[in-house]
Amino acid sequence: MLNSTSSTLSYFVLGAYLHVGNLRYLYFMLTALLYIVIVFVNISLIVVICMNRSLHEPMYMFLCSLFVNELYGSSGLFPFLLTQILSDIHTVSASFCFLQIFVLYTYVNVQFSNFAVISYDRYLAICCPLQYNTLMTPKKVFLLIIVLWLYSCVKCLITLSLNSHLKLCGNIMNSLYCHNYLIVKLSCSDTRWNNIYGLFGTAVSILVPLFPIIFSYMKILHICFSGSKQTRQKAVSTCTPHLVSLLNFSFGCFFEIIQTRLDMNSVPSVLRIVLSLYFVIIQPLLNPIMYGLQMSKIRNTCKILCCYKILTVHRDLTLT
């Protein structure tokens, strides 16, 4: 029985799941495999960065924060998806729904904020190389990481607090997981302030990181065009992974914003499902690939560790 307020609402129904019969076991295995790969590659890079003192530089500390966020966001969705794939009734408790919204929205905010901090770090490294070590100290790196996580958490808590007291007239969301705006759409009370803050929060989530990103890359492009060939090569090698990841994540988030606020019934259901999961499936795989393979320090450290592991195993087998 649906109660009158979200504070006493017991559950939501997720209406975007398709009836696939026995194929759900295949989808379950594929989803579980994907989650295992995401966890493995991100934890591997976190361990590589943390265990090697040569990688204890600002850029790699920010990347470590990025990989931690990938684990955080993936864990807020994949275990839930796995249980829903095997379930015949796609319901979620109200408390868990709000928790999932907090995790996923925090994940998005941390991701964009991390991109902004990385772009600022690249600007200092390329445009102010002589002052870099003075401007980007370990203390400042730690402070920036703490601030971007706290800012994202507080912003999402404000969003949830505004929606936690809404009176709802329904409990069916046309989605695979919980969305903040879809809960607002279920309300039968005045949601004017929720909509205003929702638009304001979305704009802040995008524009606040966007300004330092645009500023940083305008300065970097200026240096590239006016500098030497070696400077241009350094800028391209260090900035390409960042730009690819930023554009890819922005695409995934843009579709989610459009899908929740506009009528997408004309789009095929399977395509809607794929694109709705895009930002939290592709990004945790793309970031380790882009930064792990494109950045020579991480790539070379991984090669050394792999060779060392192989030699150790070979030595142990020889001795036995």
Side-chain angles (χ1 to χ4, degrees):
M1 180 76 179
L2 182 63
N3 294 305
S4 60
T5 63
S6 63
S7 60
T8 56
L9 179 68
S10 58
Y11 67 93
F12 290 101
V13 178
L14 302 173
Y17 285 90
L18 303 176
H19 179 69
V20 293
N22 289 332
L23 281 176
R24 61 183 174 179
Y25 299 108
L26 174 63
Y27 294 146
F28 175 86
M29 289 188 292
L30 292 175
T31 305
L33 178 62
L34 188 59
Y35 182 49
I36 291 169
V37 171
I38 288 172
V39 170
F40 175 77
V41 294
N42 281 280
I43 287 180
S44 297
L45 288 175
I46 292 170
V47 171
V48 166
I49 292 172
C50 292
M51 297 298 291
N52 290 272
R53 295 187 65 85
S54 63
L55 297 178
H56 290 182
E57 298 176 9
M59 175 65 180
Y60 302 105
M61 292 296 101
F62 294 136
L63 288 181
C64 192
S65 172
L66 198 67
F67 299 144
V68 169
N69 191 44
E70 301 298 1
L71 291 174
Y72 172 70
S74 300
S75 298
L77 180 64
F78 274 92
F80 174 76
L81 278 181
L82 291 172
T83 58
Q84 290 296 322
I85 288 172
L86 293 181
S87 177
D88 293 321
I89 303 173
H90 305 294
T91 61
V92 54
S93 67
S95 57
F96 183 86
C97 193
F98 283 110
L99 176 62
Q100 187 176 63
I101 290 172
F102 175 78
V103 171
L104 293 179
Y105 278 56
T106 306
Y107 163 71
V108 171
N109 279 273
V110 169
Q111 193 86 345
F112 278 121
S113 300
N114 233 322
F115 284 142
V117 171
I118 291 174
S119 67
Y120 173 67
D121 175 76
R122 291 302 84 203
Y123 155 69
L124 292 179
I126 295 169
C127 302
C128 311
L130 298 179
Q131 295 84 28
Y132 179 74
N133 290 329
T134 303
L135 295 172
M136 192 59 75
T137 61
K139 183 178 179 180
K140 188 173 183 180
V141 171
F142 178 76
L143 183 62
L144 284 171
I145 292 174
I146 293 297
V147 168
L148 71 90
W149 277 88
L150 282 177
Y151 155 76
S152 301
C153 290
V154 170
K155 182 176 174 297
C156 294
L157 283 174
I158 294 173
T159 301
L160 288 182
S161 66
L162 286 173
N163 296 341
S164 61
H165 302 293
L166 287 175
K167 293 182 179 180
L168 304 180
C169 295
N171 66 341
I172 301 176
M173 287 189 282
N174 187 25
S175 175
L176 297 175
Y177 50 91
C178 294
H179 277 274
N180 177 64
Y181 185 67
L182 293 182
I183 292 179
V184 175
K185 288 172 71 174
L186 292 173
S187 174
C188 48
S189 57
D190 184 11
T191 60
R192 179 172 43 190
W193 291 110
N194 300 78
N195 289 324
I196 291 173
Y197 180 79
L199 291 172
F200 172 76
T202 301
V204 168
S205 299
I206 296 172
L207 294 179
V208 168
L210 188 62
F211 284 127
I213 290 172
I214 292 175
F215 170 81
S216 299
Y217 278 98
M218 285 179 64
K219 292 292 186 180
I220 290 171
L221 284 173
H222 177 73
I223 292 293
C224 288
F225 285 120
S226 61
S228 63
K229 182 179 179 181
Q230 183 179 4
T231 303
R232 287 196 295 271
Q233 288 177 340
K234 179 185 176 183
V236 170
S237 64
T238 58
C239 295
T240 298
H242 179 231
L243 284 174
V244 171
S245 295
L246 173 62
L247 292 173
N248 178 76
F249 190 70
S250 299
F251 166 77
C253 291
F254 175 76
F255 179 82
E256 270 303 89
I257 294 171
I258 295 298
Q259 180 174 242
T260 54
R261 294 187 175 267
L262 299 179
D263 183 9
M264 301 291 288
N265 290 328
S266 58
V267 180
S269 298
V270 175
L271 181 59
R272 287 207 312 269
I273 289 172
V274 171
L275 290 177
S276 69
L277 297 174
Y278 184 91
F279 77 104
V280 80
I281 288 182
I282 302 300
Q283 196 67 22
L285 290 172
L286 180 67
N287 277 341
I289 291 172
M290 291 303 300
Y291 291 110
L293 296 179
Q294 293 295 323
M295 303 196 74
S296 57
K297 261 194 170 183
I298 294 180
R299 185 173 66 249
N300 293 336
T301 302
C302 289
K303 287 180 179 178
I304 292 171
L305 290 176
C306 287
C307 291
Y308 175 77
K309 186 67 176 178
I310 291 171
L311 290 174
T312 302
V313 172
H314 178 72
R315 183 193 62 189
D316 293 341
L317 290 174
T318 303
L319 290 174
T320 54

